Amino acid sequence: MLTSSLTRRDPAAGPRLMVTLLTLALLWPGLSLSELDLSVLVDGSNAETMGVFLSGFWPPAHDEAFLRLLGRATLETLAIATAGMALALIVALPCALLATRALSLSALSRGGRPGKWAEAARWPVRGLLILLRSVPEIVWALLFVRAVGLGPTAGVMAIAITYAGMLGKVYAEIFESVDPLPIRALLGAGSSRLQAFAYGVLPQATGEMLSYTVYRWECAVRASVVMGFVGAGGLGQQMDLSMRMFAGGEVASMLLTFLLLVLLADLISQLLRRRFA
């Protein structure tokens, strides 16, 4: 009996094999089109050039003049990310409330399913959120650098536009994932949608929203560093200048600073999760 059960064919073996073959079939053209060639990393001249470049990273720069410059660039990076997130939240929260089905009045009389007209009215808002997040922030930064010139303003606007679309989409999905019974009870009792949101949705969604918002703030810090390479200010712009001058010690100090910023964001996320769990 045991032998027959062990030799019995796994019913999921066929689908797993098909998924594996399909993944390999899709992966191979991707590797070919990307022209991935890892052998260039160990080529004689490339390896020597990389070794010389990395050897300049030690020791990290720590003279007083550079540390003052690094502190200013770090504060500028944090300011870009925070200001951009603040503007993004101003746009994302109203759009999320308009795009979510959780506060649909038509769903009360339709067994939880919103009406066709109510669903159609949400599509313009969802289309706006798609438009905002479809263009990468680095592209917005390039456009705003041309429009307003070099400096942090371009980075703030780029983060605000892209992250408003991301936050609005995810917030709307978070609102729809909460328990709908308290919301329906409040709406059925005559509460307004804002009251139903404040007392039915927000208490359930606060922890997840805060965690995702802090994660997006961490991503905004990283994005602001990348956008600095196109002239949007902060650590990225200073890192670009240091790399152009082959100042590896300065680059190493900036990378360590960037690591500390990411650790800080992770610590804040953990504290907020414990507080609102």
Side-chain angles (χ1 to χ4, degrees):
M1 190 72 177
L2 180 60
T3 304
S4 62
S5 63
L6 290 175
T7 57
R8 188 179 303 167
R9 185 174 179 274
D10 185 3
R16 289 173 184 167
L17 179 61
M18 292 299 296
V19 170
T20 302
L21 293 177
L22 180 61
T23 303
L24 292 176
L26 295 175
L27 183 61
W28 179 253
L31 292 176
S32 300
L33 290 173
S34 64
E35 300 180 1
L36 179 64
D37 185 10
L38 297 178
S39 63
V40 299
L41 295 176
V42 295
D43 183 73
S45 59
N46 291 342
E48 182 180 356
T49 302
M50 184 66 70
V52 172
F53 177 71
L54 293 178
S55 64
F57 278 42
W58 188 263
H62 55 277
D63 57 278
E64 184 178 352
F66 173 74
L67 290 180
R68 284 199 300 267
L69 183 64
L70 178 60
R72 178 178 177 81
T74 302
L75 292 177
E76 193 172 83
T77 295
L78 291 174
I80 292 172
T82 305
M85 283 291 296
L87 293 177
L89 286 171
I90 293 174
V91 177
L93 277 174
C95 288
L97 289 175
L98 294 173
T100 186
R101 302 182 185 91
L103 300 172
S104 175
L105 293 175
S106 61
L108 292 175
S109 58
R110 298 173 61 90
R113 294 175 299 177
K116 293 182 179 180
W117 289 109
E119 191 68 16
R122 295 186 185 93
W123 273 110
V125 181
R126 293 176 184 173
L128 174 62
L129 294 176
I130 292 173
L131 175 64
L132 293 178
R133 70 176 184 272
S134 61
V135 180
E137 57 267 26
I138 188 68
V139 177
W140 287 118
L142 285 169
L143 295 175
F144 281 112
V145 164
R146 294 294 183 91
V148 302
L150 300 175
T153 302
V156 172
M157 297 302 297
I159 289 175
I161 291 176
T162 304
Y163 282 54
M166 294 179 181
L167 291 171
K169 174 184 181 295
V170 175
Y171 284 171
E173 293 176 351
I174 292 174
F175 296 158
E176 292 178 1
S177 67
V178 302
D179 185 4
L181 294 180
I183 307 168
R184 294 177 187 173
L186 289 167
L187 292 175
S191 298
S192 66
R193 294 187 185 185
L194 285 179
Q195 290 174 327
F197 171 74
Y199 297 103
V201 177
L202 200 56
Q204 302 182 68
T206 298
E208 194 170 354
M209 285 178 64
L210 285 174
S211 178
Y212 182 75
T213 303
V214 174
Y215 167 70
R216 272 296 150 197
W217 177 77
E218 175 188 328
C219 294
V221 172
R222 291 200 298 267
S224 64
V225 173
V226 175
M227 289 185 295
F229 283 86
V230 298
L235 278 173
Q237 189 168 352
Q238 185 59 43
M239 188 180 296
D240 183 37
L241 294 174
S242 297
M243 292 183 71
R244 290 175 186 270
M245 295 185 296
F246 297 97
E250 295 181 0
V251 175
S253 297
M254 288 182 235
L255 290 176
L256 290 174
T257 302
F258 184 55
L259 174 63
L260 292 176
L261 291 178
V262 175
L263 291 175
L264 174 64
D266 187 62
L267 178 62
I268 293 174
S269 179
Q270 291 181 13
L271 292 175
L272 290 175
R273 275 189 169 275
R274 293 196 194 104
R275 174 65 178 81
F276 294 97

